[in-house]
Amino acid sequence: MWAHQDIYHPDPAKPHFQTELEINDIPQHARWKITHRETFSALNGLTGAALTIRGNHYEKGQRVPDGERKLYLIIKGPTEDVVRRANTEIKQILEEYTERAMRKKAPATGRYSFV
């Protein structure tokens, strides 16, 4: 589901690593969960990484204006390992809440069907 993200050192003068994770096309409920203040705080406490939301949300098929970006997270940390752990935790949360959203949208299955 997720493409490989590079963890990089944006400025060698600053002692941190970072990566970006696009969340624009994730179901709304999962986006809300991951961008909630309590989730940010919990992830910071668990991994030591800082999260920042950037970009704007654009509906599927909507043109992104020049110079703009779709909604994404910046994950920063003092080491590459911190950033990697935070990225993994974020992806797990997003997958869990995406799966929940998909289950709610799926039609009920069973022995009987109601017409």
Side-chain angles (χ1 to χ4, degrees):
M1 178 174 183
W2 303 101
H4 169 74
Q5 273 85 29
D6 291 326
I7 296 175
Y8 59 96
H9 228 291
D11 182 354
K14 295 180 182 175
H16 74 269
F17 291 82
Q18 75 179 45
T19 192
E20 296 175 357
L21 181 64
E22 188 174 293
I23 60 171
N24 190 80
D25 297 333
I26 303 297
Q28 185 178 29
H29 187 68
R31 280 196 321 269
W32 284 349
K33 175 63 178 174
I34 204 64
T35 58
H36 200 266
R37 185 177 317 170
E38 283 80 23
T39 305
F40 271 29
S41 180
L43 284 166
N44 179 266
L46 180 67
T47 65
L51 305 174
T52 307
I53 306 167
R54 292 282 188 254
N56 296 303
H57 181 262
Y58 295 95
E59 294 296 328
K60 264 195 173 158
Q62 186 178 0
R63 185 182 164 283
V64 178
D66 291 340
E68 297 288 322
R69 286 190 59 191
K70 289 183 174 184
L71 194 63
Y72 66 101
L73 293 176
I74 297 174
I75 307 164
K76 291 182 183 180
T79 67
E80 190 172 342
D81 188 52
V82 165
V83 173
R84 187 171 282 113
R85 277 188 293 144
N87 197 18
T88 300
E89 290 293 326
I90 290 166
K91 287 177 183 178
Q92 287 175 346
I93 292 168
L94 288 172
E95 286 174 6
E96 176 185 342
Y97 279 83
T98 297
E99 189 175 301
R100 285 184 189 182
M102 300 311 271
R103 271 189 269 153
K104 286 181 182 178
K105 289 181 183 178
T109 59
R111 186 171 180 182
Y112 303 101
S113 65
F114 300 96
V115 182

